[in-house]
Amino acid sequence: MADQYTWGLILGAVLGLVAVYNLGLLALYNLVMRSKSEDNGADSLRKTPTTALNGECPFDADVIVVGAGVAGAALANTLAKDGRRVHVIERDLSEPDRIVGELLQPGGYLKLIELGLEDCVEQIDAQRVFGYALFKDGNRTQISYPLEKFHSDVAGRGFHNGRFVQRLREKAASLPNVRLEQGTVTSLLEEKGTIKGVQYKTKAGEELTAYAPLTIVCDGCFSNLRRSLCNPKVDVPSCFVGLVLENCNLPFENHGHVVLADPSPILFYPISSNEVRCLVDIPGQKVPSISNGEMANYLKTVVAPQIPREIFHSFVAAVDGGNIKTMPNRSMPAAPYPTPGALLMGDAFNMRHPLTGGGMTVALSDIVILRNLLRHLSNLNDAPALCNYLESFYTLRKPVASTINTLAGALYQVFSASPDEARKEMRQACFDYLSLGGIFSSGPVSLLSGLNPRPLILVFHFFAVAIYGVGRILLPFPSPYRFWIGARIITSASGIIFPIMKAEGLRQMFFPATVPAYYYQAPPSN
């Protein structure tokens, strides 16, 4: 056995060097392509749809926040507590009813604490989550978050998204310098290339304008304003089908459950003391019809036989209950156009596959970074200088955001079934690697939980899984065919992770200190 592991380590070292060499080549290629894309981005910015202004406009607030979801409401709280006058305009102030944004990772909870918003997960029947359980082909393994070094209150949280959002909104509205208003923002107000505010329609249908030196757009995944501020390349790899299981006892209490099913993963996690959220992933953009019964039949005949027996009856009862919802899963790398007077945040700015539940962690981490940058400024009126200064935000957020984004996209592809032999081996290797325990599980789950989101650790564990898969095939009796499959596992792993990292920006992700904007952190003189 020791000899097998020795040979595995030698093979792993060789293949690791190959992977690092490929990464270096891709980094060089990314630097060249980035310079070209920046020129294209400048041309696109001139074509963005905004409303032109003439003359000077008095500012109604220090900051306008468009949207009061998780990102917008948390941002309004944060800026207002720093003394800013904040005007929040939200399309619908009633409680949202969503099937995602219901699992906050421990790393996201730490950011809530940093922002002073941890009480917003109280009084909403939120459930503590301590890790994950994985299921594949009748086998199961438990993976715990590495929480030993943290306060006992630090854990993941499962809750109804709408209840959490309402708590954030209520806390923001209680601050005297926050104006929370229901209305639909129709356009950004632009004067000589600078965003001065927004035009919006109130709940009563009245057309109004609002002005502020800084407008932050947080209007979610369906944003109608993002084209003015970024180059959106939205991908929809799959759709989620959402159910709520009532009075369901999960096999592992206070854990998220991931079933590596065919064709793609199924998720279960608690969202209240007597409810469990189930999310069934269906690849592609087309799902069976709910209205004619095709969806119920699909869930009972294809999905139900693959889920753990302890959940089976609750799952079938939820399907029979008929409260089935669907939503497309979007991913979109952050590709901003630095624009004087405006900034993008949240899902309007950056999205990743929701499999890993990292969206709220990224948004809250971004808010912490932005707050720390703006704290140095007594006023925000010099739009060009502020824009130049805030370019550092896009670079400072990259290591954390890109790690979580890349992990989500890569893990979704690895966890999904495939007829390809190399992909099958990679999927099995991932399950077996995580089942080893110790650093083999704590390392990857520290990335997923947002507790240690470091790009190099992500690359290390991702290729360690691939190399582990190669070792499983080659040992104890290598053959030419097995060498061929082993090589294809490495190329398949590279084909999964490198395109995602390239889209995220290799230079900013791994070498942020080489980006000029990294050094814009010195605040402009007021």
Side-chain angles (χ1 to χ4, degrees), residues 402-454:
S402 294
T403 300
I404 293 173
N405 295 345
T406 302
L407 178 66
L411 209 56
Y412 174 71
Q413 293 188 54
V414 171
F415 278 1
S416 296
S418 171
D420 181 77
E421 190 66 27
R423 290 283 295 274
K424 287 181 181 178
E425 291 293 340
M426 183 75 176
R427 192 187 197 206
Q428 185 63 50
C430 187
F431 181 86
D432 291 345
Y433 183 88
L434 293 171
S435 300
L436 293 173
I439 190 176
F440 305 105
S441 62
S442 65
V445 82
S446 72
L447 295 165
L448 185 149
S449 63
L451 295 172
N452 188 29
R454 299 184 183 181

Side-chain angles (χ1 to χ4, degrees), residues 333-351:
Y337 304 142
T339 307
L343 199 68
L344 273 172
M345 296 281 284
D347 283 351
F349 174 45
N350 183 205
M351 294 180 283

Side-chain angles (χ1 to χ4, degrees), residues 98-365:
R98 304 185 65 202
I99 64 172
V100 294
E102 297 178 314
L103 179 61
L104 179 66
Q105 297 289 359
Y109 182 73
L110 287 174
K111 295 302 176 184
L112 269 188
I113 294 174
E114 199 169 344
L115 295 170
L117 299 173
E118 67 273 19
D119 58 333
C120 291
V121 297
E122 298 173 1
Q123 301 176 17
I124 60 172
D125 199 16
Q127 302 299 297
R128 291 156 66 87
V129 178
F130 298 108
Y132 282 89
L134 296 183
F135 299 80
K136 184 179 186 297
D137 300 332
N139 298 313
R140 57 182 67 186
T141 187
Q142 183 179 2
I143 306 168
S144 298
Y145 293 137
L147 300 173
E148 298 82 7
K149 298 180 180 179
F150 298 95
H151 186 274
S152 60
D153 190 50
V154 176
R157 292 295 193 279
F159 43 66
H160 282 271
N161 173 268
R163 296 176 187 175
F164 180 53
V165 169
Q166 290 301 88
R167 286 280 289 158
L168 289 169
R169 289 173 178 175
E170 290 166 7
K171 186 158 186 173
S174 69
L175 299 173
N177 48 336
V178 172
R179 179 187 173 194
L180 180 58
E181 181 178 9
Q182 182 163 312
T184 302
V185 175
T186 54
S187 66
L188 302 175
L189 302 176
E190 179 262 341
E191 179 184 331
K192 297 179 182 178
T194 298
I195 302 301
K196 296 289 188 178
V198 299
Q199 181 172 327
Y200 67 103
K201 183 179 291 187
T202 67
K203 185 178 180 180
E206 184 180 3
E207 291 276 359
L208 297 177
T209 55
Y211 302 98
L214 180 61
T215 298
I216 304 179
V217 176
C218 310
D219 57 345
C221 60
F222 298 105
S223 173
N224 64 338
L225 301 174
R226 68 161 65 102
R227 290 187 178 276
S228 302
L229 304 171
C230 75
N231 179 24
K233 296 180 179 178
V234 180
D235 182 36
V236 184
S238 67
C239 295
F240 266 160
V241 179
L243 299 162
V244 173
L245 281 56
E246 297 183 350
N247 301 313
C248 172
N249 295 319
L250 291 171
F252 296 87
E253 189 177 3
N254 295 109
H255 281 66
H257 291 57
V258 183
V259 181
L260 304 190
D262 187 358
S264 50
I266 306 167
L267 307 180
F268 299 90
Y269 50 88
I271 57 173
S272 76
S273 54
N274 64 342
E275 293 171 304
V276 169
R277 168 64 69 191
C278 170
L279 294 173
V280 178
D281 186 86
I282 298 180
Q285 301 182 31
K286 187 177 181 181
V287 298
S289 170
I290 296 176
S291 59
N292 65 10
E294 287 181 4
M295 178 65 77
N297 182 63
Y298 174 84
L299 295 173
K300 287 183 177 181
T301 59
V302 177
V303 177
Q306 301 185 71
I307 66 176
R309 60 184 180 277
E310 298 95 327
I311 309 174
F312 180 84
H313 293 296
S314 296
F315 178 82
V316 173
V319 175
D320 290 337
N323 189 17
I324 304 172
K325 298 180 179 179
T326 65
M327 63 156 285
N329 293 325
R330 293 174 168 82
S331 62
M332 184 185 76
Y337 304 142
T339 307
L343 199 68
L344 273 172
M345 296 281 284
D347 283 351
F349 174 45
N350 183 205
M351 294 180 283
R352 77 289 309 145
H353 196 285
L355 172 69
T356 57
M360 289 187 288
T361 301
V362 171
L364 294 170
S365 175

Side-chain angles (χ1 to χ4, degrees), residues 22-34 506 511:
N22 288 336
L23 181 62
L25 290 178
L26 278 170
L28 180 62
Y29 174 78
N30 189 63
L31 287 175
V32 176
M33 296 304 294
R34 181 173 175 79
L506 285 168
F511 313 107

